[in-house]
Amino acid sequence: MLNDQTIKIIKSTVPVLEKHGTDITKRFYQLLFTSHPELLNIFNHANQSQGKQQTALANAVYAAAQNIDKLETILPVVKQIAHKHRSLGIKAEHYPIVGQNLLAAIKDVLGDAATEEILQAWAEAYGVIANVFIGVEAEMYQQSERQKGGWTGFRGFRVKNKVKESDVITSFYLVPEDGGAIASFEPGQYVSVKMEIPGEANTYIRQYSLSDAPGKPHYRISVKREDAVLSKPEGKVSVYMHEHINQGDTLWLSAPAGEFILDQQDIRPIVFISGGVGLTPLVSMLETVADSQPERHVTFIHAAQNGDVHALRQQVEKVANRSRQVSVYWCYDKPTDRDREKKAYDIEGYIDLPWLQKIIPTKEASFYFCGPVQFMKTLYSSLKEWNVAAADIHYEFFGPSGSLEETDGAQVEVVVP
């Protein structure tokens, strides 16, 4: 545990971190990848180039400093972060490397203001926090390997089938090359895919939600092709998978992970709201609820630009057709003429609170949502305005976690060990 003097010193650095946090994390990654270029095989290069990872880490360091005297306020996110680390293959030996480079970055950016006393305090604080992560992750590695059909590291899976779900989303049905059993998973979890792309210097690892229900002899991931748009770079892995990964090819997967999971003990009404490819974990949840809790009322809402890019529609409608408890609504903001002719959607435009209040039977429900960040911010704001209980609001970020409200310091993700 940290002594009172160390806590006092860390707290005194809060204003400095608020001002210079991103500069520190930018410098940290420069130092880290210069001294340990092999770690480029773990980190998401796109998030690096867009500054997402630097910002997420800066927010996490700031939150740790703010709450150093009451770490229990940020420790609930440890398990979420540890799931990501386990899926990426982060190990205990990585933590000293990160700590060394983080302290060096603080020294470089703050200069003489980073006294030996301050650096020592941060070294002690980092050690305490790192040990928590190491312990939680060690337990996760053991659980992943010991469960039926489980494994550690990355395991080869053969593409049994490749299905185009829309103009931009393709599903890959995956079975283990070794012919063995596969680990079960909680609806909402993801797998990491490790990819070596010809001509690229580094390995890429990306997380994809499992888009089918548990209990089947395969895993399914539904991947959106991310082409370059304005300042956003091309998604190298998604484009490569769409263009070059075919039936019979091999993908390397980590065991399922993630904390965005369906609470199957709850029997109250449930509301799923998705935008774009954000429907993938929710479809898995929907299938599970319909099969295991057939009396539970479900409202499933999906927003897409139009029918050309709307994936997994038929699967969702099949669930609704076999269950009177499932209500489905489609929202298109740029419908095509064909969509209009077929009356393929329920509303044109964007989801707002008055419409939600009209179609959702009660706010005394569990709400799960996933999609683009701005989409989720709008939903989060609407649900808070409706006075939906915070404990009933569940959501997933695709990529480094952030905040859905500017003052919500608890919604941070440490993106390095």
Side-chain angles (χ1 to χ4, degrees):
M1 298 298 294
L2 300 174
N3 61 43
D4 291 342
Q5 180 62 16
T6 298
I7 290 173
K8 181 179 179 181
I9 293 171
I10 296 296
K11 295 280 281 188
S12 73
T13 65
V14 168
V16 177
L17 291 174
E18 185 176 18
K19 181 178 181 181
H20 299 288
T22 303
D23 291 334
I24 291 171
T25 54
K26 285 180 179 178
R27 181 57 178 156
F28 159 75
Y29 284 115
Q30 291 171 354
L31 294 170
L32 181 69
F33 295 143
T34 298
S35 60
H36 291 274
E38 72 277 8
L39 294 180
L40 286 166
N41 293 314
I42 296 177
F43 285 82
N44 187 313
H45 304 174
N47 289 336
Q48 286 286 324
S49 65
Q50 296 175 67
K52 292 181 179 179
Q53 221 149 21
Q54 295 89 329
T55 300
L57 178 57
N59 290 340
V61 173
Y62 177 72
Q66 271 190 316
N67 297 281
I68 197 67
D69 55 340
K70 48 183 188 302
L71 284 176
E72 66 275 6
T73 62
I74 63 171
L75 288 180
V77 301
V78 166
K79 194 171 181 181
Q80 173 196 358
I81 299 163
H83 271 285
K84 180 69 70 68
H85 285 176
R86 198 273 293 159
S87 78
L88 292 170
I90 299 296
K91 298 294 181 63
E93 56 264 31
H94 292 126
Y95 282 85
I97 296 171
V98 168
Q100 179 183 358
N101 285 280
L102 183 59
L103 292 175
I106 292 173
K107 179 64 176 175
D108 284 358
V109 172
L110 301 186
D112 293 340
T115 65
E116 287 302 316
E117 187 179 42
I118 287 176
L119 292 175
Q120 181 59 35
W122 266 104
E124 292 179 19
Y126 177 82
V128 168
I129 296 170
N131 283 335
V132 174
F133 279 97
I134 290 170
V136 171
E137 289 161 18
E139 185 176 337
M140 286 185 174
Y141 277 110
Q142 292 176 5
Q143 191 275 334
S144 174
E145 184 174 19
R146 292 175 180 173
Q147 67 178 315
K148 182 181 179 180
W151 71 95
T152 58
F154 289 85
R155 181 181 178 188
F157 278 72
R158 177 174 56 85
V159 179
K160 183 178 180 180
N161 202 6
K162 179 180 180 180
V163 178
K164 185 176 180 180
E165 306 284 5
S166 76
D167 286 357
V168 294
I169 296 175
T170 293
S171 287
F172 298 83
Y173 290 76
L174 308 170
V175 295
E177 281 193 321
D178 58 22
I182 57 174
S184 187
F185 62 93
E186 295 290 335
Q189 288 192 307
Y190 57 82
V191 292
S192 286
V193 176
K194 182 169 69 172
M195 181 78 64
E196 292 185 2
I197 300 176
E200 294 289 332
N202 298 110
T203 298
Y204 290 82
I205 302 177
R206 295 292 185 270
Q207 285 78 41
Y208 294 105
S209 296
L210 292 159
S211 61
D212 214 345
K216 299 184 179 180
H218 62 259
Y219 292 147
R220 184 181 73 182
I221 57 174
S222 302
V223 180
K224 180 185 176 185
R225 179 183 176 123
E226 298 286 357
D227 291 306
V229 179
L230 299 177
S231 60
K232 184 179 179 181
E234 173 187 274
K236 290 184 180 293
V237 175
S238 68
V239 170
Y240 186 81
M241 290 180 68
H242 274 246
E243 294 185 350
H244 300 287
I245 299 298
N246 295 301
Q247 186 173 334
D249 290 339
T250 298
L251 294 177
W252 293 89
L253 270 60
S254 69
E259 276 290 281
F260 179 64
I261 59 176
L262 176 68
D263 181 0
Q264 298 185 63
Q265 302 303 312
D266 194 350
I267 60 173
R268 296 175 302 156
I270 189 167
V271 181
F272 298 122
I273 311 176
S274 56
V277 75
L279 89 166
T280 50
L282 303 187
V283 168
S284 178
M285 293 182 183
L286 172 67
E287 288 268 12
T288 303
V289 170
D291 289 339
S292 64
Q293 298 177 297
E295 299 305 316
R296 190 174 182 185
H297 188 274
V298 179
T299 304
F300 190 98
I301 304 165
H302 179 62
Q305 287 186 337
N306 51 55
D308 293 344
V309 296
H310 184 173
L312 305 177
R313 174 170 180 153
Q314 289 185 344
Q315 181 176 351
V316 171
E317 290 181 338
K318 283 182 180 178
V319 175
N321 288 337
R322 72 173 189 256
S323 173
R324 295 180 180 179
Q325 296 297 318
V326 177
S327 301
V328 174
Y329 300 89
W330 310 125
C331 175
Y332 290 175
D333 63 283
K334 296 178 181 177
T336 64
D337 290 340
R338 184 171 62 256
D339 292 330
R340 293 190 176 94
E341 290 171 5
K342 295 170 61 177
K343 298 182 179 179
Y345 52 93
D346 295 284
I347 62 165
E348 180 175 346
Y350 298 96
I351 295 172
D352 59 22
L353 181 55
W355 184 69
L356 290 176
Q357 291 172 323
K358 184 185 302 183
I359 65 169
I360 296 173
T362 175
K363 69 176 181 179
E364 303 301 324
S366 288
F367 290 79
Y368 293 79
F369 58 90
C370 186
V373 173
Q374 191 55 53
F375 171 86
M376 294 203 299
K377 283 186 175 182
T378 300
L379 276 178
Y380 184 81
S381 176
S382 294
L383 296 180
K384 297 296 283 186
E385 183 181 343
W386 198 9
N387 293 317
V388 173
D392 291 332
I393 300 176
H394 315 276
Y395 51 89
E396 173 90 316
F397 283 92
F398 283 175
S401 291
S403 172
L404 294 187
E405 57 182 8
E406 298 303 323
T407 59
D408 185 3
Q411 294 298 328
V412 296
E413 177 181 7
V414 181
V415 290
V416 296

